[in-house]
C-alpha cells in the first residue's frame, strides 16, 4: 500500500491531536497528548514542506550532519540554532546526543545486515539506562533496521515526540541515517547486495503538542 505524503501525514497528526488529544501536564507544562501513535514516511521524501511551519532547513541539514558525524559538542551545532545550548547541562556537550550512540553501534548494524539480510538484530540503542537528572534526556529509545525485498526499512521507537517542534526534524534525521546505512552496505558490494531506502515507521509512546504551539497548529490546519 502506498505511503502517504509526509506533509499530509503531519497535518493529519496535528489535526488529530488538536481534536482528540487529552490534556496532560508533565513537569507542569500543559500539552495535548495521544499515546501509541505510529506514522509511516517514505524515506526518499522525508522533508516537510508545509510553508506555515517555518522550518529552518539550514538547521535540519546541520543537525543531520551533526548526528552522523558522531558529535555531542554544543559548539558544533549551536551556530545553526541559537536556542539549543540551553538544553546542555554544562554548555559543552549534550548528555543525550544521538551521534556518539550511533557511531558506537553502526559497524555492528552493518555487519549484521550484510551477514544475514533477513536479520532482526540490526538495532541501535539510544536510551541510557537509569539516566541521571539532566536537561537532555533522549526522546528516542531505539532504532531497528530491516532489509526486505532490497529495501532498507527503519523502525524508530520514541518515548516522547513533540509533533510541532521535533517531528519534522526527527523524520529527516532518521531518514538520513538510513540513507547512510544503505551507502555503507552498498559500498561493500558483497554478493551483489544493493539496497535503497524504504519506509520509516516512527512509533511514539507519547505524541504531543505543547500549549504554546496550539495557536500556530490551528492556523496550519485551517489554511
Amino acid at each position: 500500500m502506498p505511503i502517504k505524503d509526509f506533509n499530509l501525514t503531519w497535518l493529519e497528526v496535528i489535526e488529530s491531536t488538536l481534536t482528540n488529544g487529552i490534556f496532560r501536564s508533565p513537569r507542569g507544562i500543559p500539552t495535548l497528548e495521544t499515546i501509541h501513535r505510529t506514522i509511516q514516511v517514505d524515506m526518499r521524501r522525508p522533508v516537510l514542506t508545509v510553508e506555515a511551519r517555518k522550518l529552518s532547513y539550514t538547521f535540519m541539514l546541520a543537525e543531520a550532519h551533526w548526528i552522523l558525524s558522531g558529535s555531542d559538542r554544543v559548539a558544533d551545532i549551536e551556530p545553526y540554532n541559537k536556542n539549543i545550548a540551553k538544553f546542555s547541562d554544562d554548555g559543552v556537550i549534550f548528555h543525550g546526543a544521538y551521534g556518539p550512540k550511533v557511531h558506537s553501534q553502526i559497524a555492528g548494524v552493518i555487519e549484521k545486515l550484510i551477514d544475514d539480510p533477513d536479520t532482526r538484530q540490526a538495532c541501535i540503542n539510544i536510551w541510557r539506562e537509569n539516566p541521571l537528572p539532566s536537561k537532555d534526556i533522549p526522546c528516542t529509545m531505539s532504532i531497528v533496521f530491516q532489509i526486505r525485498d532490497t529495501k532498507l526499512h527503519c523502525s524508530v521507537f520514541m518515548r516522547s515526540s513533540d509533533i510541532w517542534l521535533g517531528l519534522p526534524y526527527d523524520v529527516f534525521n532518521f531518514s538520513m541515517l538510513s540513507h547512510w546505512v544503505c551507502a555503507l552496505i552498498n559500498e561493500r558490494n558483497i554478493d551483489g547486495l544493493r539496497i535503497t531506502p524504504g519506509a520509516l515507521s516512527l512509533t511514539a509512546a507519547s505524541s504531543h503538542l505543547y500549549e504554546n504551539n496550539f495557536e500556530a497548529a490551528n492556523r496550519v490546519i485551517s489554511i
Side-chain angles (χ1 to χ4, degrees):
M1 190 166 114
I3 299 172
K4 291 181 183 177
D5 174 81
F6 181 33
N7 287 348
L8 178 59
T9 296
W10 183 74
L11 289 170
E12 288 177 348
V13 169
I14 294 291
E15 184 172 18
S16 172
T17 303
L18 288 169
T19 304
N20 303 312
I22 304 299
F23 276 98
R24 305 293 182 197
S25 296
R27 306 189 312 282
I29 305 172
T31 66
L32 278 171
E33 178 191 63
T34 58
I35 62 172
H36 308 311
R37 184 192 295 279
T38 298
I39 65 168
Q40 276 202 320
V41 177
D42 182 343
M43 291 193 290
R44 298 169 302 170
R45 298 176 180 84
V47 180
L48 187 76
T49 58
V50 177
E51 187 174 351
R53 172 57 184 82
K54 295 181 171 60
L55 291 168
S56 170
Y57 296 108
T58 300
F59 173 67
M60 182 178 285
L61 290 168
E63 186 180 34
H65 178 269
W66 182 65
I67 292 170
L68 298 185
S69 76
S71 177
D72 61 2
R73 296 184 298 273
V74 173
D76 291 341
I77 192 63
E78 187 179 19
Y80 306 97
N81 185 327
K82 64 182 180 181
N83 296 315
I84 201 167
K86 67 183 181 182
F87 296 105
S88 168
D89 296 319
D90 60 8
V92 178
I93 67 167
F94 289 97
H95 171 77
Y98 295 1
K101 282 282 195 175
V102 167
H103 265 247
S104 68
Q105 298 170 75
I106 194 70
V109 163
I110 300 304
E111 292 306 319
K112 285 187 178 297
L113 290 169
I114 288 175
D115 290 345
D116 178 7
D118 291 334
T119 186
R120 300 186 296 258
Q121 298 180 14
C123 307
I124 290 177
N125 183 55
I126 301 295
W127 183 251
R128 279 73 166 166
E129 294 181 4
N130 301 315
L132 297 173
S134 172
K135 292 187 286 185
D136 185 33
I137 301 294
C139 293
T140 301
M141 309 297 291
S142 59
I143 308 166
V144 180
F145 300 97
Q146 295 170 299
I147 298 173
R148 298 295 184 267
D149 299 323
T150 74
K151 298 285 188 183
L152 179 75
H153 302 293
C154 178
S155 298
V156 176
F157 302 92
M158 302 185 73
R159 63 172 184 85
S160 173
S161 176
D162 179 340
I163 60 175
W164 182 263
L165 294 176
L167 183 58
Y169 295 102
D170 288 335
V171 164
F172 184 76
N173 288 332
F174 296 128
S175 295
M176 292 305 99
L177 173 57
S178 299
H179 277 257
W180 187 36
V181 170
C182 286
L184 290 173
I185 292 173
N186 290 340
E187 74 176 357
R188 296 276 290 271
N189 196 28
I190 296 177
D191 296 328
L193 179 62
R194 304 290 295 179
I195 59 172
T196 57
L200 168 67
S201 298
L202 188 151
T203 298
S206 170
S207 175
H208 53 266
L209 183 69
Y210 284 105
E211 184 179 46
N212 60 353
N213 298 130
F214 288 178
E215 184 178 348
N218 273 295
R219 284 199 303 269
V220 162
I221 63 172
S222 65
I223 293 174

